[in-house]
Amino acid sequence: MPRRPPARLRVREPEYVQPAPPHARVPRVSASALRAIAHYERADLYPGGIAEALAAWSRFVHAPYRQLDRHTEHGDDYGPSNDPEVARIRLGWALKRLPRKASRELNTQVRPLDELYLARSIPAPDVAHLRALL
């Protein structure tokens, strides 16, 4: 019996590697809400913008107390994509412009974060601009 060449015995890499998801998705929403969010992002934002804004707002709300009250109106400590004020404004726009069902599903994730922020932050003039967004 002839011997097989080593190249035929080795496991080859598949020629087509499936790409990673092109952008972040909002977790725990239905497929129809994801489609509506994707349509909104294509028209008014950029792909993954709502998921990014939700993550930035969540990171800020769960931050230590000293960071909640130090946020300035200009957001100098944060990059443009991590600024909690910009993130909350984007979420507010999305909640107003999405279809009713998708807006309701997104609101089930945004509202608890808003309530947590209101419970944890001190109503001071320094953060009045953030509290006004809620």
Side-chain angles (χ1 to χ4, degrees):
M1 180 180 260
R3 185 176 154 244
R4 289 186 192 176
R8 291 188 71 198
L9 295 174
R10 291 188 196 116
V11 177
R12 284 189 256 162
E13 294 286 326
E15 292 179 17
Y16 175 74
V17 178
Q18 209 162 40
H23 54 79
R25 294 183 179 170
V26 178
R28 297 182 306 272
V29 294
S30 66
S32 62
L34 280 176
R35 278 193 303 275
I37 289 170
H39 180 71
Y40 169 75
E41 287 173 344
R42 277 193 303 272
D44 295 333
L45 209 52
Y46 55 91
I50 298 299
E52 190 177 286
L54 186 63
W57 182 240
S58 178
R59 273 192 308 274
F60 177 71
V61 167
H62 290 99
Y65 286 108
R66 64 184 177 276
Q67 289 181 1
L68 291 177
D69 297 328
R70 270 194 308 162
H71 183 266
T72 61
E73 194 162 353
H74 304 293
D76 298 332
D77 298 340
Y78 304 92
S81 64
N82 291 329
D83 186 15
E85 184 176 6
V86 172
R88 187 57 185 91
I89 289 170
R90 285 182 182 166
L91 290 172
W93 288 344
L95 289 172
K96 290 178 185 171
R97 294 183 179 147
L98 284 173
R100 184 180 298 152
K101 183 176 182 250
S103 177
R104 200 176 320 127
E105 287 187 39
L106 182 61
N107 197 26
T108 60
Q109 295 188 27
V110 174
R111 192 71 215 153
L113 293 174
D114 292 347
E115 291 171 359
L116 183 62
Y117 174 74
L118 290 174
R120 293 183 72 211
S121 67
I122 299 170
D126 297 339
V127 293
H129 61 284
L130 275 177
R131 294 175 76 86
L133 295 174
L134 309 181

